[in-house]
């Protein structure tokens, strides 16, 4: 009942619009199916062993609905994990049908168990007993839950971007906690721990989504200025042998002209393109990326020397040039950077990087 109340609170908060629209719909749907399973579990607890007229029939119906809902919930659980991780798996019709096939089998066998006793039987005293084929139901749930877990784990290994890794850790909890609790429930019949694992998984994902909304820039989905300050403060306490902390300040050239000529919508599109370039170049290398404000971006990178910093600048400029070929205007950026010195304060590093950017922009202006 406590888990059911927590799920209702989550659904209420989502309904009030504390999440993005796409997240809101899918998360609310998952909460609804989780809540439905909890409700069936409560009804079973009330009906099992009851002796009022029609109680045995209701017990059959509730048990069949419960086992069918287990498959449906685990299907939606895996779907939501794919949604959060941005995976394009099972996008075609054939793969969608294939992915839904275990759920369909689970629903059919659950309903058929009313007559066959495959998953469960109800004795004359209206008590539930496990069927001989219950292992199929457990296997179907494990297939979906293990798949959700594996998607997150393997994606984490390939993902070096800190922000995305945090989300993937939450997705792994979304798969691991229900999986672990289902294993316990299968080993100890009558102990309803699956609802606890499912609720904790949903709560962790919900909190991660809220954290992401607070810490990310809504347009570019990059870290915001506050997160940049937090990262810099934490990085000052670390020492990476053979590398120094570099701060890059990136400013989009002639951004005001894009807004004035093509409108603010196109200006926003230009900022999104820059953020995409930063993610493609810096993300795989584990560099910290932030939109600092307006058309200004900040990157923190652990590099061995200035030559590596210059190479990073060239890669960013080339990638942005490639992306701007299809645009009616040319996108270009100015990049200034500074390496952290021993005993230097955060403000001093920022000031030197900003001065470097100013010199770059001054030189470009003189060349024109």
């Amino acid at each position: 009942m406590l888990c059911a109340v927590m799920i209702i609170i989550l659904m209420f908060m989502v309904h009030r619009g504390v999440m993005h629209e796409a997240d809101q719909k899918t998360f609310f749907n998952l909460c609804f199916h989780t809540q439905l399973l909890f409700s069936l579990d409560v009804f079973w607890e009330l009906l099992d062993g009851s002796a009022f007229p029609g109680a045995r029939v209701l017990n059959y119906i509730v048990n069949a609905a419960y086992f069918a809902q287990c498959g449906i919930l685990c299907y939606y659980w895996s779907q939501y994990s794919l949604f959060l991780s941005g995976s394009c798996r099972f996008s075609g019709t054939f793969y969608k049908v294939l992915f839904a096939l275990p759920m369909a089998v689970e629903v059919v066998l659950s309903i058929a168990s009313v007559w066959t006793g495959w998953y469960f039987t109800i004795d004359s005293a209206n008590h539930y007993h496990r069927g001989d084929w219950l292992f199929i139901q457990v296997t179907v749930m494990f297939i979906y839950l293990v798949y959700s877990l594996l998607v997150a784990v393997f994606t984490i290994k390939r993902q070096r971007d800190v922000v995305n890794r945090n989300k993937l850790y939450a997705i792994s909890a979304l798969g691991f906690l229900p999986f672990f609790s289902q294993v316990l429930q299968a080993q100890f019949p009558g102990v309803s721990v699956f609802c606890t694992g499912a609720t904790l998984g949903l709560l962790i994902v919900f909190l991660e989504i809220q954290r992401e909304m607070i810490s990310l820039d809504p347009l570019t989905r990059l870290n915001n200025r506050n997160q940049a300050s937090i990262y810099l403060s934490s990085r000052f306490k670390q020492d990476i042998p053979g590398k120094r902390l570099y701060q890059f300040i990136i400013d989009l050239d002639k951004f005001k002209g894009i807004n004035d000529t093509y409108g603010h919508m196109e200006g926003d599109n230009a900022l999104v393109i820059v953020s995409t370039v930063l993610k493609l170049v810096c993300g795989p290398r584990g560099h910290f990326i932030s939109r600092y404000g307006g058309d200004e971006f900040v990157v923190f990178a652990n590099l061995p020397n200035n030559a590596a910093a210059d190479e990073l600048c060239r890669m960013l400029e080339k990638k942005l040039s490639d992306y701007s070929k299809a645009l009616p205007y040319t996108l270009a950026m100015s990049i200034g950077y500074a390496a952290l010195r021993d005993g230097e304060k955060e403000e001093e590093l920022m000031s030197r990087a900003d001065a470097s950017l100013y010199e770059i922009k001054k030189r470009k202006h003189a060349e024109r």
Side-chain angles (χ1 to χ4, degrees):
M1 291 298 296
L2 178 61
C3 291
V5 170
M6 291 178 67
I7 295 296
I8 291 173
I9 292 173
L10 288 179
M11 293 172 68
F12 175 75
M13 295 179 69
V14 172
H15 182 69
R16 292 191 63 183
V18 296
M19 298 169 67
H20 294 296
E21 185 175 349
D23 282 339
Q24 183 180 22
K25 181 179 179 181
T26 50
F27 188 82
F28 187 90
N29 191 36
L30 183 58
C31 286
F32 172 79
H33 283 281
T34 305
Q35 179 64 28
L36 182 56
L37 183 69
F38 293 174
S39 299
L40 290 169
D41 205 17
V42 171
F43 287 144
W44 170 80
E45 186 71 31
L46 296 174
L47 285 171
D48 197 60
S50 299
F52 62 87
R56 193 161 180 262
V57 174
L58 284 175
N59 207 0
Y60 267 111
I61 294 174
V62 168
N63 273 281
Y66 174 84
F67 285 114
Q69 183 60 22
C70 283
I72 294 172
L73 175 60
C74 290
Y75 167 80
Y76 278 108
W77 212 276
S78 290
Q79 288 285 72
Y80 188 59
S81 294
L82 294 177
F83 168 78
L84 286 179
S85 62
S87 175
C88 297
R89 294 175 178 85
F90 303 108
S91 56
T93 303
F94 172 77
Y95 293 106
K96 286 181 180 179
V97 172
L98 182 64
F99 191 64
L101 186 59
M103 176 192 65
V105 171
E106 168 72 4
V107 171
V108 171
L109 292 179
S110 298
I111 296 173
S113 294
V114 173
W115 299 277
T116 63
W118 288 335
Y119 280 0
F120 65 92
T121 58
I122 307 295
D123 62 23
S124 57
N126 197 28
H127 286 292
Y128 158 86
H129 298 280
R130 289 186 171 191
D132 294 335
W133 288 18
L134 187 60
F135 70 92
I136 298 178
Q137 185 261 352
V138 176
T139 301
V140 169
M141 293 185 69
F142 282 173
I143 288 173
Y144 282 124
L145 294 176
V146 170
Y147 180 74
S148 302
L149 179 60
L150 291 178
V151 166
V153 169
F154 283 110
T155 310
I156 287 173
K157 288 186 176 181
R158 298 192 305 267
Q159 182 60 253
R160 299 188 63 187
D161 182 55
V162 176
V163 176
N164 290 329
R165 277 211 311 267
N166 288 336
K167 178 187 282 189
L168 291 168
Y169 285 136
I171 298 172
S172 64
L174 186 66
F176 173 76
L177 290 174
F179 169 75
F180 179 72
S181 58
Q182 179 60 24
V183 171
L184 289 179
Q185 187 160 313
Q187 293 297 318
F188 303 99
V191 180
S192 297
V193 292
F194 176 75
C195 58
T196 304
T199 302
L200 288 176
L202 287 173
L203 184 60
I204 289 172
V205 170
F206 179 81
L207 292 175
E208 172 58 25
I209 292 174
Q210 301 311 301
R211 187 205 65 79
E212 185 180 87
M213 291 176 64
I214 294 172
S215 62
L216 297 188
D217 173 63
L219 175 64
T220 62
R221 307 302 293 166
L222 295 176
N223 292 287
N224 58 24
R225 183 169 182 166
N226 184 54
Q227 289 300 112
S229 298
I230 294 173
Y231 175 83
L232 185 57
S233 297
S234 64
R235 179 59 185 82
F236 260 65
K237 302 174 184 177
Q238 300 176 7
D239 184 21
I240 301 178
K243 293 186 177 181
R244 301 164 65 192
L245 177 66
Y246 280 77
Q247 178 171 359
F248 296 80
I249 300 182
I250 301 165
D251 189 77
L252 195 58
D253 295 342
K254 301 180 180 179
F255 179 66
K256 185 177 183 302
I258 296 174
N259 277 329
D260 293 344
T261 305
Y262 300 97
H264 289 280
M265 290 290 289
E266 188 58 38
D268 287 347
N269 181 55
L271 294 174
V272 171
I273 292 174
V274 173
S275 69
T276 300
V277 168
L278 291 173
K279 292 174 185 176
L280 289 173
V281 175
C282 300
R285 292 166 173 80
H287 304 330
F288 184 91
I289 318 165
S290 169
R291 183 186 177 192
Y292 212 64
D295 62 331
E296 190 172 81
F297 299 83
V298 168
V299 173
F300 293 106
N302 299 304
L303 301 172
N305 48 48
N306 287 355
D310 291 333
E311 176 62 22
L312 181 62
C313 292
R314 285 192 291 269
M315 292 174 64
L316 288 171
E317 290 168 350
K318 182 180 184 306
K319 181 67 72 172
L320 184 62
S321 176
D322 294 340
Y323 262 72
S324 66
K325 289 178 180 178
L327 299 174
Y329 49 85
T330 300
L331 275 179
M333 58 173 66
S334 297
I335 309 174
Y337 69 81
L340 180 64
R341 295 170 178 170
D342 293 337
E344 190 172 39
K345 296 181 180 179
E346 300 173 20
E347 297 81 6
E348 295 171 333
L349 175 64
M350 178 71 177
S351 178
R352 290 195 299 109
D354 200 41
S356 173
L357 174 65
Y358 176 77
E359 289 298 323
I360 296 292
K361 294 182 74 70
K362 182 179 178 181
R363 187 177 72 235
K364 283 187 176 183
H365 183 73
E367 291 173 354
R368 289 197 292 266

